[in-house]
């Protein structure tokens, strides 16, 4: 068990470009969450997967955002036509079962849009 | 919708002393879970302690304990014998079944704790 891995750790992109982040959860965890954390704020929920099915999306997840979890393993979060307001830390978390025992978070991907 | 409020943006404590971080929440749910997470400067969020709302007994994990007051919707974290490694952002978080299958977390804005040698 190597924990939740996220790649890349940092990403700097120009406004209007597309970016993709990857999350590798703990292997036996069937639930996967994406959160966004801006400076001085707590993380905010973006989307949730149970196995390969995306079951819930936040209203924060605009049409420019898309997430996938093929085969219920790793997950990707893509942002199209990035805007400066997308600059944030993107956190991935996974859990086994309901997650009432708490999740395991990755170290996050820091996105800076210039 | 659930809300979580942490009224102390920053706190400091002397090493070996005790500090209490405050958290209040608002919900209409009866069954839910409460958590304290620690986020050191290295960024990875680490679970410190959890509490199930149906349990009256306050949770304890080594030097960390909570004071859970369900009627008052209060969930404070007490850190005893503070250590330099406790320096971090501390987030209070709430979780309940969402209806869509998730137990998504709702976080407060955090309290930055500094432990002073």
């Amino acid at each position: 068990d190597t924990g939740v891995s996220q790649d890349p750790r940092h990403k700097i992109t120009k406004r209007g470009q597309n970016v993709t982040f990857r999350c590798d959860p703990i292997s036996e965890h069937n639930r996967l969450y994406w959160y966004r954390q801006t400076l001085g704020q707590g993380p905010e929920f973006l989307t949730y997967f149970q196995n390969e099915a995306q079951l819930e999306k936040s209203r924060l997840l605009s049409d420019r955002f898309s997430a996938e979890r093929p085969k219920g393993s790793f997950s990707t979060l893509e942002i199209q036509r990035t805007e400066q307001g997308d600059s944030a830390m993107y956190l991935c978390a996974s859990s086994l079962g309901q997650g009432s025992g708490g999740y395991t978070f990755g170290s996050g991907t820091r996105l800076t849009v210039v | 919708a659930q809300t979580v409020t942490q009224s102390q943006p920053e706190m400091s404590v002397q090493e070996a002393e005790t500090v209490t971080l405050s958290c209040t929440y608002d919900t209409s749910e009866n069954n839910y879970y409460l958590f304290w997470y620690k986020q050191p400067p290295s960024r990875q969020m680490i679970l410190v302690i959890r509490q199930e709302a149906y349990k009256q007994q306050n949770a304890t994990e080594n030097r960390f304990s909570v004071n859970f007051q369900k009627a008052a919707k209060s969930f404070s974290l007490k850190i005893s014998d503070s250590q330099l490694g406790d320096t971090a952002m501390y987030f209070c978080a709430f979780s309940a079944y969402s209806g869509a299958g998730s137990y998504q977390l709702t976080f407060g804005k955090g309290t930055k704790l500094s432990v002073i040698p």
Side-chain angles (χ1 to χ4, degrees):
Chain A
D1 179 2
T2 57
V4 178
S5 299
Q6 291 190 246
D7 184 70
R9 292 291 298 271
H10 303 272
K11 179 70 177 179
I12 300 174
T13 190
K14 292 183 178 180
R15 190 175 53 186
Q17 297 294 305
N18 298 344
V19 294
T20 300
F21 311 139
R22 176 179 172 123
C23 170
D24 286 89
I26 293 173
S27 57
E28 62 267 28
H29 284 186
N30 61 336
R31 297 182 179 224
L32 186 146
Y33 298 76
W34 284 97
Y35 288 82
R36 182 173 69 185
Q37 184 178 21
T38 54
L39 201 61
Q41 302 294 319
E44 295 174 292
F45 170 74
L46 291 178
T47 191
Y48 158 68
F49 289 86
Q50 184 170 334
N51 300 312
E52 68 276 7
Q54 187 176 21
L55 297 183
E56 192 167 357
K57 293 192 288 186
S58 162
R59 56 182 170 76
L60 293 176
L61 213 66
S62 75
D63 291 344
R64 296 184 298 104
F65 287 70
S66 62
E68 294 182 341
R69 192 183 182 197
K71 302 179 182 179
S73 55
F74 70 92
S75 176
T76 58
L77 178 67
E78 180 183 15
I79 309 174
Q80 297 183 327
R81 305 182 302 283
T82 51
E83 302 173 355
Q84 286 189 323
D86 297 330
S87 295
M89 176 77 75
Y90 290 84
L91 296 169
C92 176
S94 69
S95 72
L96 178 63
Q98 296 177 343
S100 55
Y103 314 122
T104 302
F105 280 84
S107 295
T109 295
R110 168 75 68 189
L111 173 67
T112 302
V113 182
V114 298
Chain B
Q2 286 73 232
T3 59
V4 177
T5 302
Q6 293 179 249
S7 59
Q8 305 149 317
E10 291 191 41
M11 293 190 73
S12 61
V13 62
Q14 291 289 135
E15 195 175 5
E17 296 296 307
T18 296
V19 64
T20 298
L21 308 184
S22 301
C23 173
T24 58
Y25 59 95
D26 190 24
T27 184
S28 58
E29 300 285 342
N30 194 44
N31 295 317
Y32 52 88
Y33 303 88
L34 294 162
F35 306 88
W36 279 97
Y37 279 89
K38 169 185 177 181
Q39 190 175 40
S42 63
R43 302 180 302 173
Q44 186 165 15
M45 198 83 72
I46 301 166
L47 177 65
V48 174
I49 198 166
R50 64 186 287 269
Q51 174 81 43
E52 292 133 329
Y54 65 86
K55 288 188 177 179
Q56 292 185 337
Q57 186 173 5
N58 289 324
T60 300
E61 288 287 342
N62 301 315
R63 298 182 295 108
F64 299 90
S65 61
V66 298
N67 183 3
F68 173 48
Q69 301 291 326
K70 189 173 183 179
K73 296 182 180 175
S74 171
F75 184 61
S76 61
L77 174 69
K78 185 171 82 171
I79 306 174
S80 304
D81 185 26
S82 297
Q83 301 175 359
L84 295 178
D86 295 334
T87 293
M89 283 291 291
Y90 285 81
F91 291 97
C92 179
F94 171 102
S95 171
Y97 182 66
S98 73
S102 79
Y103 281 79
Q104 60 178 268
L105 292 166
T106 300
F107 286 87
K109 290 188 175 182
T111 296
K112 184 178 181 181
L113 177 67
S114 299
V115 179
I116 302 166

